[in-house]
Amino acid sequence: MGQLIVPDNWDQLRRHTRARIALGRAGVSLPTREVLNFSLAHAQARDAVHLPLDTTALAGELAHQGFHPLQVHSAAPDRAAYLRRPDWGRRLDEAGRATLLAARPVGESPALVILVADGLSSLAVSRHAPHVLMELAGHLPELPAAPLVIAREGRVALGDEVGELLGARLVVVLIGERPGLSSPDSLGIYLTWAPRVGCNDAGRNCISNVRPEGLSYAQAAWKLAYLINGARRLGYTGVRLKDDSDTPAALASP
Amino acid sequence: MRYFHDIGGVRHAFPDLKAVMAKASPLRSGDLLAGVAAASEEERVAARLVLADLPLGRFLEEALVPYEDDEVTRLILDRHDRAAFAEISSLSVGEFRDWILAEHTDTATLTRVAPGITPEMAAAVSKLMRNQDLILAAGKCRVVTRFRNTLGLPGRLAVRLQPNHPTDDPKGIAAAMLDGLLYGCGDAVIGINPATDSLPAIVSLLQLIDDLRLRYGVPTQSCVLTHVTNSLRAMEQGAPVDLVFQSIAGTELTNRSFGIDLAMLAEANGAARSLGRGNLGNNVMYFETGQGSALSANGHHGVDQQTLEARAYAVAREFQPLLVNTVVGFIGPEYLYDGKQIIRAGLEDHFCGKLLGLPMGCDICYTNHAEADQDDMDTLLTLLGVAGINFVIGVPGADDIMLNYQSTSFHDALYLRQVLERRRAPEFEAWLESMGIVDHLGRLLPQSARQPLLQMAAGF
């Protein structure tokens, strides 16, 4: 029997990317080993979608960093409902609304509110959110004074209601992105100026793929600080607020 | 006009045309989420029975999204070609299905009539069609576009090479790009979804693809899939922009949520055309769409998601794009719940787009929170191949490590070529052969270290 697999003689390129390159082929098809590798990764990503966020542990960790986390739940009662009803994941349940109304600061409205929500990957949030906030505090010394909310079964737009109830000028949402095969724990960050229920996505800025193998904590915090400062200066977020944080001028003066 | 149908003494009545359309749609989670789906299977068929008897002209009289409120509706009605419509104007929606499937309705007929068909007419007839009808009818349509090669010719299938990287690392992107080219992919476009919206990063990605293209004389086009305003800024800076990308949708409200309007698209189309970078043609726009985006953006006006998707094709049609890609399973299970719904939607989108005269491709894909897997993708890929799709997506190993979803792979494209005998765009095919990547029948050849693309790779 001859050789069954035609190998690809460029597997040295694999050191530049985690993409599935140089897989070789059986005829024109994937070799058996690669079919099984893929199946395993898909199985793990499917499992990540359904792992609940340990909010107690996360709140403890963030309290240690000087925050005073509030805990809320979206209007989606469980994961099954969350997956079919994104509208529920964008709104708070009754108890959550009451918690935030009671916590609304008197006097001047907070410049910044942070929402940490499980989204589609609680792994992303529990692993990376505290590190990103730690790095961000290096750029924004006043950060620990910002109200911080932890939410279960939350979507990006939940930040609109959270920000509105707390009277925030700007809300930053840290949320688990949909798990990929190679990245069950990718964190996304969204900024929305003047958050209120009904804001649309063109009014937000996004930083995605935050994890050690993607955008590092330091890079993410740098971009985030750049966008926060830009939003404060201009009074808006969204497509008109450009992420020019990679330009030499921006890198020279934070 | 009153819309009702009596079945066994029960009257199924519908308040307006958009209700008939929504309730006639095959079941999908997005219409349930929007609260517009049929309440029972019988009601769904009753709505189809009503729809089948409606004259096509009804869609010119009753706008599903008000004319005064929506520039997409105005575009559809103001641009409607009455002369082209004349040939089908006497038909009901049910007769329109029979007419499309009739033997004498050939490619030339469908091409001639296309400007007289509105998105709503296309959506309506698709709701009366089974999957095999959607395949047969789309297979009769032919839409050929050109930039640096010729796409959409009979017996051909192109692939968008999608070498994404989570941090836009140039070496990581180049590695995936070489892998794809060595697998014979990239004739539709080499298109990168950037991880960032930062203009300097976008310009350097454009430069990266353009350098490779010029160095090896690759007869294809490049694109960085960033917001149209970024592409405009990149063009102002003199960056090598071949195709302008934009996500589009079927209502003004949704497009506004994407930060665009028709005037902005026209400006970008004009700017890219004026660069004159295509040597064979000047189709310069690359649009992406997908069922559910309007509901997701709260811009759906109570219209079902499949009809709204077809309306997005009216936006695309206005700008003679090179490529239109329905990203069918990306949006998630709240809009298309499982493999069955994704497969149906992919076939509908391809059919409606082709009927309207668009160069349709499909990102045959799913996310990890949907009830779907590779077997479902194989099914849809095969069906769309049979239906004559212009292009599909090629991602290394079907795993997009930047966008976190599963699409089709370079291997998948080879599979389709083999079982359906589909060849690549002719100019690209000739280039692959000249590079020793494929033989004269388009079959992959084993590579030696002397392969020029690999010698380039040895440098990084």
Side-chain angles (χ1 to χ4, degrees):
Chain A
M1 200 159 40
Q3 195 183 18
L4 292 175
I5 307 294
V6 183
D8 294 330
N9 64 334
W10 54 91
D11 51 346
Q12 79 281 0
L13 292 181
R14 283 187 171 197
R15 69 179 189 276
H16 300 302
T17 178
R18 291 162 62 94
R20 292 167 199 258
I21 62 170
L23 300 181
R25 53 196 169 87
V28 301
S29 305
L30 282 177
T32 302
R33 171 60 53 194
E34 296 301 336
V35 172
L36 292 173
N37 284 344
F38 188 100
S39 297
L40 176 60
H42 184 227
Q44 289 172 334
R46 296 277 291 148
D47 288 346
V49 170
H50 296 277
L51 180 75
L53 177 65
D54 183 345
T55 50
T56 311
L58 181 63
E61 200 172 342
L62 292 173
H64 197 71
Q65 288 178 218
F67 291 101
H68 303 282
L70 298 162
Q71 293 190 38
V72 298
H73 201 288
S74 83
D78 53 36
R79 189 89 317 201
Y82 175 85
L83 289 175
R84 284 178 189 267
R85 294 298 302 260
D87 50 334
W88 291 349
R90 296 184 194 121
R91 298 301 297 268
L92 292 164
D93 66 6
E94 279 301 321
R97 234 180 330 268
T99 303
L100 295 191
L101 277 175
R104 183 179 178 128
V106 283
E108 205 184 337
S109 55
L112 175 67
V113 164
I114 310 279
L115 171 65
V116 181
D118 48 5
L120 283 166
S121 170
S122 63
L123 277 181
V125 169
S126 54
R127 284 180 184 168
H128 310 316
H131 292 282
V132 171
L133 291 172
M134 187 92 83
E135 292 280 345
L136 184 65
H139 301 293
L140 300 174
E142 74 279 18
L143 184 68
L148 184 146
V149 179
I150 297 172
R152 285 275 308 270
E153 310 296 357
R155 301 226 172 222
V156 172
L158 187 66
D160 299 341
E161 187 172 18
V162 167
E164 184 175 1
L165 288 174
L166 293 174
R169 268 171 284 166
L170 176 69
V171 67
V172 169
V173 179
L174 284 72
I175 190 164
E177 297 182 328
R178 53 173 66 173
L181 290 191
S182 317
S183 55
D185 65 340
S186 184
L187 186 76
I189 304 175
Y190 292 81
L191 291 85
T192 310
W193 184 258
R196 68 202 176 283
V197 172
C199 284
N200 76 34
D201 290 341
R204 310 187 201 285
N205 291 85
C206 171
I207 301 167
S208 90
N209 269 301
V210 181
R211 60 197 174 96
E213 304 82 4
L215 195 66
S216 71
Y217 302 141
Q219 289 170 304
W222 165 262
K223 278 182 182 296
L224 182 52
Y226 182 90
L227 290 171
I228 289 173
N229 288 330
R232 285 175 174 170
R233 195 172 59 247
L234 298 168
Y236 54 76
T237 51
V239 292
R240 291 180 300 150
L241 170 60
K242 297 297 179 187
D243 173 13
D244 290 331
S245 62
D246 300 328
T247 57
L251 292 170
S253 57
Chain B
M1 187 152 179
R2 295 176 64 215
Y3 302 101
F4 64 89
H5 194 91
D6 295 329
I7 299 174
V10 177
R11 170 151 298 192
H12 294 277
F14 308 92
D16 52 21
L17 188 51
K18 75 179 174 187
V20 176
M21 291 284 273
K23 289 176 190 290
S25 227
L27 175 72
R28 65 205 57 196
S29 48
D31 289 340
L32 290 170
L33 180 62
V36 301
S40 69
E41 292 304 322
E42 184 173 291
E43 188 186 25
R44 193 182 327 279
V45 179
R48 286 179 191 167
L49 287 162
V50 171
L51 196 56
D53 287 340
L54 290 179
L56 284 178
R58 185 69 207 154
F59 291 99
L60 303 172
E61 292 153 10
E62 185 177 342
L64 303 191
V65 179
Y67 184 91
E68 307 72 42
D69 301 345
D70 188 278
E71 67 169 357
V72 179
T73 302
R74 292 196 289 276
L75 175 75
I76 291 167
L77 294 175
D78 296 351
R79 288 283 196 201
H80 182 245
D81 184 334
R82 289 267 172 181
F85 180 62
E87 201 167 336
I88 52 171
S89 61
S90 67
L91 302 178
S92 68
V93 178
E95 289 166 340
F96 187 38
R97 174 185 170 278
D98 296 333
W99 179 86
I100 290 170
L101 298 172
E103 219 160 332
H104 58 75
T105 302
D106 57 11
T107 302
T109 313
L110 290 169
T111 306
R112 189 171 65 238
V113 169
I117 302 172
T118 66
E120 287 82 357
M121 294 175 198
V125 74
S126 81
K127 295 177 195 299
L128 303 183
M129 288 176 143
R130 284 171 42 197
N131 286 2
Q132 65 165 260
D133 303 338
L134 298 171
I135 293 167
L136 191 157
K140 292 191 194 189
C141 302
R142 181 95 52 240
V143 184
V144 178
T145 56
R146 293 179 180 85
F147 190 78
R148 281 196 197 95
N149 55 29
T150 312
L151 301 169
L153 292 170
R156 306 272 175 175
L157 168 78
V159 177
R160 168 189 163 192
L161 171 45
Q162 184 171 307
N164 295 343
H165 187 277
T167 59
D168 295 337
D169 177 68
K171 288 179 182 173
I173 286 172
M177 209 151 68
L178 292 175
D179 193 65
L181 289 171
L182 292 166
Y183 267 80
C185 294
D187 41 359
V189 61
I190 300 176
I192 302 169
N193 298 89
T196 154
D197 285 335
S198 139
L199 191 63
I202 285 158
V203 170
S204 71
L205 289 175
L206 285 165
Q207 206 62 58
L208 173 77
I209 318 178
D210 209 48
D211 288 349
L212 179 102
R213 179 184 71 78
L214 289 170
R215 184 164 168 186
Y216 295 100
V218 194
T220 192
Q221 36 283 333
S222 62
C223 188
V224 172
L225 285 74
T226 186
H227 194 266
V228 63
T229 52
N230 288 327
S231 295
L232 279 165
R233 292 211 298 166
M235 283 188 274
E236 280 163 21
Q237 294 191 3
V241 174
D242 287 347
L243 304 184
V244 172
F245 165 82
Q246 185 55 47
S247 290
I248 56 170
T251 68
E252 180 178 338
L253 270 179
T254 312
N255 284 329
R256 203 182 301 150
S257 88
F258 293 165
I260 60 158
D261 57 26
L262 296 175
M264 200 183 279
L265 295 176
E267 181 190 353
N269 188 32
R273 281 179 180 232
S274 72
L275 298 179
R277 293 175 58 82
N279 58 326
L280 294 186
N282 221 359
N283 301 113
V284 296
M285 300 301 283
Y286 172 9
F287 292 122
E288 285 192 350
T289 64
Q291 290 190 25
S293 62
L295 175 57
S296 168
N298 241 332
H300 63 101
H301 296 272
V303 177
D304 70 272
Q305 68 183 34
Q306 190 258 332
T307 300
L308 291 171
E309 170 72 9
R311 284 170 54 96
Y313 303 153
V315 175
R317 183 157 71 166
E318 180 68 7
F319 303 104
Q320 301 90 44
L322 184 78
L323 306 162
V324 178
N325 180 24
T326 171
V327 187
V328 71
F330 187 75
I331 193 162
E334 61 270 33
Y335 303 94
L336 295 169
Y337 187 68
D338 56 14
K340 183 180 169 73
Q341 294 184 10
I342 291 171
I343 289 165
R344 173 74 196 181
L347 294 174
E348 289 166 346
D349 295 353
H350 177 250
F351 162 75
C352 287
K354 282 280 175 77
L355 189 68
L356 293 168
L358 289 172
M360 292 304 293
C362 183
D363 190 346
I364 296 160
C365 62
Y366 66 105
T367 60
N368 289 312
H369 60 313
E371 295 295 324
D373 61 20
Q374 291 302 101
D375 291 335
D376 297 308
M377 299 303 104
D378 290 345
T379 304
L380 182 54
L381 175 67
T382 307
L383 297 178
L384 285 172
V386 175
I389 194 157
N390 282 32
F391 68 96
V392 296
I393 303 298
V395 175
D399 171 15
D400 190 307
I401 59 171
M402 142 67 187
L403 292 172
N404 292 337
Y405 75 123
Q406 285 86 259
S407 181
T408 45
S409 67
F410 307 142
H411 293 74
D412 290 333
L414 293 175
Y415 147 78
L416 208 57
R417 294 191 190 293
Q418 182 166 328
V419 295
L420 296 177
E421 298 181 9
R422 297 287 156 154
R423 294 164 58 182
R424 301 170 179 90
E427 301 83 359
F428 191 76
E429 181 179 70
W431 176 79
L432 288 173
E433 199 181 335
S434 76
M435 291 290 287
I437 295 171
V438 303
D439 66 14
H440 66 290
L441 293 173
R443 291 175 303 202
L444 286 193
L445 292 168
Q447 296 301 315
S448 77
R450 288 194 304 280
Q451 163 60 241
L453 291 179
L454 290 179
Q455 291 190 332
M456 178 192 104
F460 53 85

